[in-house]
Amino acid sequence: MKKFLNISLLSLVALSALTLGSCKNEVDEIFDDDAVARLEKAQKEYYDILTDKGGKWQLEYYANSNEPGYIYLMTFKKDGSVTIAGKNEWIGRAMGESLSISTFGSETSLWDVITDNGPVLSLNSYNKFFHLFANPEDIPSLSDEDPDETGYGHEGDYEFDLMKYSGDTLYVTGKKYGLDMIMTRVDAGVNDETYMNEVDSMKTLFFNARIPQVYINLPNGIRWIVKDGASSILKMFREGDDEISTSEYHNIIITHDGLSFMNPITLDGYVIKNFIRQADGSLLCRDDNETTMTADLLSNVFAIKTFAWKADTTQIGGTFFDKMRAIKSELNDYEKRTLIGIQISFDAKTTQKYQVTFSCKKGKNTFNPTFYVDLEQVGGEQIKLKYTGEADAAGVIYAEKCPSMKTFVELLGGTLNMTSPSLLAPVEMKLSDSGNTANYTYWKL
Amino acid sequence: MKKIQYYISALLLLAVASMSLSSCSEDKLGPTIFPEVSDDLDPNSYTYDLDKFLKENYLDKYNLTFLYKMPDVSTNMNYNLVPATYENSKDLAVLCKYLWFDVYDKIAGPEFLKAYGPRIILLIGSPAYNPTSGTEIVGLAEGGIKVSLFKVNDLNRFFNNPEMMNEYYFKTMHHEFAHILHQTKTYPNEFNTISIGHYDGNNWQDRSEGQVASLGFLTTYASSEFREDFAETIANYITMNESQWARIMDLARRGWVSGDEDDVASEFFCYYYYPDNDATQDMKYAYMYEVIDETDEEGVVHHYLRSNRSIVVYDVEDKDGIDGVDAINQKVQIAREWLKTAWNVDLDELRQEVQDRQKSYNIADLRSQYGL
């Protein structure tokens, strides 16, 4: 009973306070204006931001959490029109491409900044190259497994809550599905198609399907292995951990200057979101300026036994050039034969050795004299291809008829510096004499 | 995905609560806190031509807002929808005027739609799929105020297909307008008695077109309930051309049998035959397209299997006890009399005007005529 009384008394006091409070006419002023006026002001501010300086923006667009992101360029005009340009395989399909071909598309539609709970960017008329991600139709699939997505589609947003503007960056959130995205102002003079082509070409620079894996190198020395980069949904696991049980998947977007994860990821305590492409083709994390993304050591990539490196005979210098010219001359003297190409590969069938093969032609006949070498990794980015003195039957004959071939192989046995235009997708490599870099050869996968 | 199309009409429920409010002091109202919107159109706007057309032909004339820029918040957020294309919005705005508003103006007089027409038309580019039920909304009317038209982005595919254009846009508008009218002046209760006991509000989408026609309904959706039947009767009578109407009447006079009586969604058939013409074998059913008709010298029609013309095919006996043709005609007659007496609108004149216009319109000419 006492407890009841206490509660009743407390309730009475509280009720009295509320009753008295309700007669207070003065309201504390938290904001200068009422809510509607503030909303209207924000609406105008964002409208001006979007159309300012030519009104061109890059949107890092994610339709959902299971697909990679796509870059779109949007040019907002004060007449209520917006030109939306993109380049991806879905646009290709919308334009009738039967295969998954990344295709450029640009179309003008309508836009507005409307008010709801806050200012909202509404792309309010259908743009066939953008709203395809919101269309609730079944998604055509090239694979055997083709679930029916009718009623859902990609479930992408076309209205965005305008959350924050800072330093020519707009932070937006998809209105229906709530994914956070970023819009960045782009110079109004940029040509949409050129820009999108440059973004598209980044994909092959970063992730080449022939390079099986790349690495995220954390400042503490730990490496994370990254696979399936070409799909833009990265499979990642810490080096040394079990791939099957510990892999995690993160979707990314290839941007004009690098790549970004959809959401920040944490690897061994390091928070990572954005990578910027460096001059050497590697990626440097913009968030800490320390973490990098690279492929394996060049010498390891070169040593992958399934690879066949073909010499680019237009990019060859110094003594290598002299020897190649001598080879051509000797082949010509040897019953008018010609040199077609030079290749370094691994003979997995018989000798289990690396080999240098010269392809020669006489009339319709092709000959492949082969010389065996031992690949020695001297340092991180140095190798030697030391001639073993062995050759196949054709090699034995050609060593006699065309002695410069053997000399050329012996030159490869010196210490060779390795460089590549891209440390992330090293599908091209330059091998140059460490003692005199004027002596070099160039090889491509 | 099996797509069953239907309309949704929702009555706007206004709840007025009486509350005794007491204030400690008398507050004076200040100026409006809402932004004052100008009616003037901006001639520099990308959409000026269309906005001008809509203002002159819809807003000023009928106090109707024609919404073609779709704010998602104006729709049911449970559906994934996209806006209409600007070009199709222009075309549908023109077609709505020519094939619908101008028709009522001509038949019922210019004041009719001013008083009873919808106040908002909202264009939506995509269908509204309901993946769980396999249905698709083709039209939505809310409280007789707002009519939503879906699938507008397919309009350009339907220019030469009046049947599809009616299905998604104009039949929808006639249907929804019929609801507005009967919610204003009730139709005779006699209509509800014609097919009483044969409505199925839960499984109408699983019924077949032939089965419901035989029961006296013009569409499967009409068999869902009285009011939808009434709206469908008017909308389909106005928009169906002669061959479409004749086809429905043909279905209505036939007998139908379920391929599997234990399955409410099974196929229905109006023909059967015996393999090898041997009546001792189990009968099999045939779809209409599997059967060909041949008329003999005495004018008697015989049915044969298209795949094997030696097999004789028979009509399924009509056992439902309902004269489907008579039921449909009764319903049309009630609607006809009600429109005349309650609204002074001649249903047959309305139908003829719609039929004439949908046969002869040219979208390019209409665009040009209205400067769009």
Side-chain angles (χ1 to χ4, degrees):
Chain A
M1 179 60 78
K2 189 177 178 184
K3 193 174 181 182
F4 266 111
L5 276 174
N6 285 342
I7 290 170
S8 300
L9 277 170
L10 282 172
S11 302
L12 194 61
V13 171
L15 192 62
S16 304
L18 280 172
T19 310
L20 290 170
S22 71
C23 289
K24 185 185 175 190
N25 272 329
E26 294 168 13
V27 178
D28 293 334
E29 296 288 351
I30 300 172
F31 299 105
D32 291 338
D33 294 316
D34 57 68
V36 174
R38 281 184 284 119
L39 191 53
E40 189 191 10
K41 186 181 170 195
Q43 181 185 20
K44 185 176 183 317
E45 281 175 357
Y46 277 109
Y47 182 91
D48 291 342
I49 287 168
L50 283 162
T51 53
D52 195 21
K53 300 176 188 172
K56 195 181 286 284
W57 294 81
Q58 170 189 277
L59 169 65
E60 296 176 18
Y61 182 73
Y62 289 93
N64 56 62
S65 300
N66 303 313
E67 286 185 50
Y70 302 97
I71 291 292
Y72 278 94
L73 276 185
M74 299 183 172
T75 308
F76 297 94
K77 293 184 181 159
K78 289 183 177 174
D79 66 359
S81 68
V82 56
T83 300
I84 304 178
K87 185 174 184 181
N88 57 59
E89 64 189 59
W90 300 107
I91 290 177
R93 291 189 196 187
M95 294 174 81
E97 296 284 356
S98 56
L99 298 173
S100 299
I101 297 172
S102 187
T103 307
F104 175 79
S106 172
E107 187 176 71
T108 297
S109 49
L110 307 176
W111 74 284
D112 203 355
V113 176
I114 60 173
T115 53
D116 189 20
N117 293 327
V120 176
L121 167 60
S122 178
L123 301 167
N124 55 16
S125 81
Y126 190 83
N127 186 303
K128 67 182 174 191
F129 299 132
F130 184 74
H131 288 80
L132 58 87
F133 286 111
N135 218 3
E137 299 293 350
D138 184 32
I139 303 171
S141 173
L142 298 177
S143 69
D144 294 336
E145 290 180 15
D146 186 9
D148 184 1
E149 295 94 352
T150 304
Y152 304 102
H154 294 263
E155 297 188 298
D157 268 309
Y158 58 88
E159 288 191 329
F160 304 93
D161 288 322
L162 294 158
M163 308 301 288
K164 191 174 78 170
Y165 174 64
S166 173
D168 277 344
T169 299
L170 270 169
Y171 298 86
V172 303
T173 301
K175 191 163 185 328
K176 182 178 272 185
Y177 290 103
L179 296 183
D180 293 331
M181 299 175 223
I182 288 174
M183 294 176 73
T184 316
R185 194 186 295 282
V186 175
D187 185 272
V190 161
N191 176 279
D192 288 4
E193 187 162 7
T194 304
Y195 188 92
M196 292 312 308
N197 284 338
E198 288 167 357
V199 171
D200 199 49
S201 66
M202 282 283 194
K203 290 179 191 169
T204 51
L205 288 177
F206 293 160
F207 300 111
N208 190 297
R210 282 174 292 187
I211 304 298
Q213 62 192 37
V214 297
Y215 300 87
I216 291 178
N217 312 293
L218 297 172
N220 62 1
I222 291 175
R223 294 204 307 181
W224 279 65
I225 294 172
V226 177
K227 292 188 172 183
D228 301 336
S231 71
S232 291
I233 298 176
L234 308 187
K235 177 185 184 183
M236 299 169 51
F237 58 98
R238 188 190 291 107
E239 192 172 37
D241 284 357
D242 180 59
E243 177 177 346
I244 294 172
S245 62
T246 65
S247 285
E248 46 190 76
Y249 295 84
H250 299 284
N251 46 348
I252 59 162
I253 188 167
I254 306 290
T255 62
H256 192 257
D257 56 0
L259 68 82
S260 297
F261 287 91
M262 181 179 168
N263 295 306
I265 62 169
T266 303
L267 304 180
D268 294 298
Y270 294 94
V271 179
I272 295 165
K273 171 94 167 62
N274 304 295
F275 281 91
I276 303 296
R277 186 167 191 259
Q278 304 300 295
D280 62 6
S282 66
L283 287 165
L284 177 65
C285 181
R286 192 171 67 189
D287 309 290
D288 62 11
N289 266 328
E290 286 189 89
T291 301
T292 60
M293 197 184 296
T294 60
D296 205 340
L297 295 173
L298 291 180
S299 57
N300 285 347
V301 174
F302 196 84
I304 292 174
K305 291 178 177 174
T306 54
F307 284 177
W309 296 91
K310 296 178 180 64
D312 180 353
T313 52
T314 64
Q315 297 190 67
I316 187 164
T319 52
F320 286 105
F321 178 80
D322 297 339
K323 285 301 157 197
M324 190 182 70
R325 194 163 56 180
I327 291 169
K328 287 179 178 175
S329 171
E330 289 163 7
L331 283 173
N332 186 54
D333 294 343
Y334 181 29
E335 299 173 351
K336 302 284 183 193
R337 289 162 203 246
T338 55
L339 180 68
I340 302 171
I342 309 170
Q343 177 176 291
I344 299 172
S345 60
F346 184 80
D347 177 15
K349 285 184 181 172
T350 53
T351 63
Q352 300 292 316
K353 285 183 180 297
Y354 288 92
Q355 57 191 9
V356 180
T357 304
F358 295 85
S359 292
C360 311
K361 199 167 185 181
K362 181 191 174 192
K364 292 181 180 176
N365 297 321
T366 303
F367 306 93
N368 298 303
T370 298
F371 300 83
Y372 298 108
V373 294
D374 287 327
L375 190 151
E376 183 183 334
Q377 293 170 266
V378 180
E381 309 301 16
Q382 286 184 325
I383 57 166
K384 290 178 181 177
L385 292 158
K386 297 183 78 171
Y387 179 41
T388 63
E390 298 168 292
D392 69 355
V396 171
I397 296 169
Y398 275 75
E400 188 179 324
K401 299 286 186 182
C402 184
S404 295
M405 274 190 188
K406 201 174 92 176
T407 316
F408 186 96
V409 175
E410 286 170 344
L411 281 176
L412 290 171
T415 302
L416 301 171
N417 292 338
M418 311 183 78
T419 55
S420 173
S422 174
L423 290 181
L424 205 53
V427 293
E428 299 178 14
M429 286 202 202
K430 185 179 180 182
L431 305 184
S432 52
D433 185 345
S434 62
N436 182 359
T437 54
N439 304 327
Y440 66 90
T441 51
Y442 206 88
W443 305 82
K444 292 181 179 177
L445 267 182
Chain B
M1 180 186 205
K2 183 182 178 184
K3 293 174 189 169
I4 302 291
Q5 298 150 356
Y6 63 101
Y7 313 90
I8 294 178
S9 303
L11 283 172
L12 184 66
L13 299 176
L14 296 175
V16 180
S18 299
M19 298 170 69
S20 59
L21 300 172
S22 59
S23 169
C24 296
S25 68
E26 192 173 314
D27 293 327
K28 288 182 181 175
L29 291 174
T32 175
I33 61 167
F34 295 103
E36 291 183 16
V37 180
S38 168
D39 286 340
D40 296 336
L41 298 176
D42 177 5
N44 297 316
S45 166
Y46 188 81
T47 57
Y48 176 70
D49 289 343
L50 176 58
D51 293 338
K52 183 167 173 282
F53 171 82
L54 296 177
K55 183 174 187 302
E56 291 172 356
N57 292 282
Y58 288 101
L59 186 62
D60 294 348
K61 200 167 178 186
Y62 304 110
N63 192 23
L64 184 153
T65 303
F66 198 99
L67 279 175
Y68 65 93
K69 298 173 182 174
M70 190 187 104
D72 212 13
V73 72
S74 294
T75 65
N76 185 335
M77 296 292 274
N78 291 323
Y79 290 92
N80 288 306
L81 305 170
V82 294
T85 66
Y86 180 54
E87 291 304 314
N88 283 14
S89 298
K90 286 197 284 190
D91 288 342
L92 194 50
V94 165
L95 285 170
C96 279
K97 172 176 167 51
Y98 182 73
L99 291 175
W100 204 85
F101 284 85
D102 286 356
V103 172
Y104 278 96
D105 273 5
K106 183 175 178 182
I107 302 302
E111 298 303 314
F112 185 63
L113 286 181
K114 277 186 194 172
Y116 302 107
R119 292 291 168 257
I120 299 170
I121 291 179
L122 172 64
L123 304 191
I124 294 167
S126 60
Y129 294 118
N130 187 337
T132 51
S133 67
T135 56
E136 171 189 340
I137 301 173
V138 295
L140 178 65
E142 293 166 79
I145 301 292
K146 176 173 149 188
V147 174
S148 299
L149 299 177
F150 297 86
K151 223 165 179 165
V152 176
N153 291 347
D154 286 331
L155 173 66
N156 46 332
R157 294 199 295 120
F158 300 155
F159 283 148
N160 297 317
N161 189 343
E163 188 178 348
M164 292 301 287
M165 209 149 66
N166 279 325
E167 184 67 22
Y168 285 102
Y169 316 118
F170 304 113
K171 194 180 92 176
T172 299
M173 290 178 64
H174 289 294
H175 175 106
E176 303 302 353
F177 190 53
H179 280 309
I180 292 172
L181 294 181
H182 79 67
Q183 285 163 9
T184 309
K185 295 182 184 180
T186 314
Y187 62 81
N189 198 41
E190 178 193 353
F191 183 96
N192 298 348
T193 65
I194 296 172
S195 294
I196 195 164
H198 298 287
Y199 293 99
D200 187 344
N202 294 325
N203 299 306
W204 61 267
Q205 65 269 36
D206 294 326
R207 292 175 139 183
S208 81
E209 189 185 27
Q211 178 203 13
V212 297
S214 178
L215 293 173
F217 302 107
L218 286 169
T219 63
T220 53
Y221 188 49
S223 75
S224 63
E225 61 160 301
F226 305 131
R227 285 166 300 183
E228 299 307 335
D229 191 9
F230 187 74
E232 281 288 88
T233 299
I234 290 176
N236 282 280
Y237 184 75
I238 292 171
T239 55
M240 278 185 179
N241 61 31
E242 286 180 12
S243 67
Q244 289 174 305
W245 189 260
R247 180 176 161 277
I248 288 291
M249 290 297 133
D250 180 43
L251 298 179
R253 69 172 58 90
R254 290 178 181 277
W256 295 84
V257 64
S258 169
D260 180 356
E261 290 184 359
D262 293 331
D263 180 6
V264 72
S266 76
E267 299 283 355
F268 272 71
F269 301 92
C270 58
Y271 292 113
Y272 71 93
Y273 64 94
Y274 296 102
D276 303 324
N277 290 326
D278 180 358
T280 63
Q281 295 193 39
D282 290 342
M283 69 166 64
K284 291 184 177 299
Y285 296 117
Y287 293 104
M288 291 185 84
Y289 67 84
E290 292 180 297
V291 175
I292 57 165
D293 297 336
E294 282 182 5
T295 307
D296 66 17
E297 292 173 351
E298 295 174 358
V300 180
V301 179
H302 302 277
H303 310 307
Y304 302 99
L305 267 188
R306 188 180 295 277
S307 59
N308 183 351
R309 295 194 179 199
S310 67
I311 303 292
V312 180
V313 175
Y314 306 94
D315 288 325
V316 166
E317 187 183 353
D318 193 355
K319 291 181 179 175
D320 60 22
I322 297 166
D323 183 338
V325 172
D326 184 56
I328 291 170
N329 284 334
Q330 282 185 59
K331 291 175 183 176
V332 171
Q333 184 57 25
I334 290 171
R336 181 183 283 122
E337 288 172 5
W338 173 75
L339 275 169
K340 191 68 188 171
T341 53
W343 300 103
N344 195 28
V345 171
D346 187 312
L347 179 62
D348 294 297
E349 278 184 27
L350 195 62
R351 178 174 196 262
Q352 194 57 51
E353 188 66 25
V354 166
Q355 296 296 325
D356 290 345
R357 286 177 181 243
Q358 69 185 24
K359 260 187 271 185
S360 61
Y361 84 90
N362 179 300
I363 186 66
D365 290 347
L366 288 174
R367 281 186 207 131
S368 170
Q369 182 183 338
Y370 297 116
L372 293 175

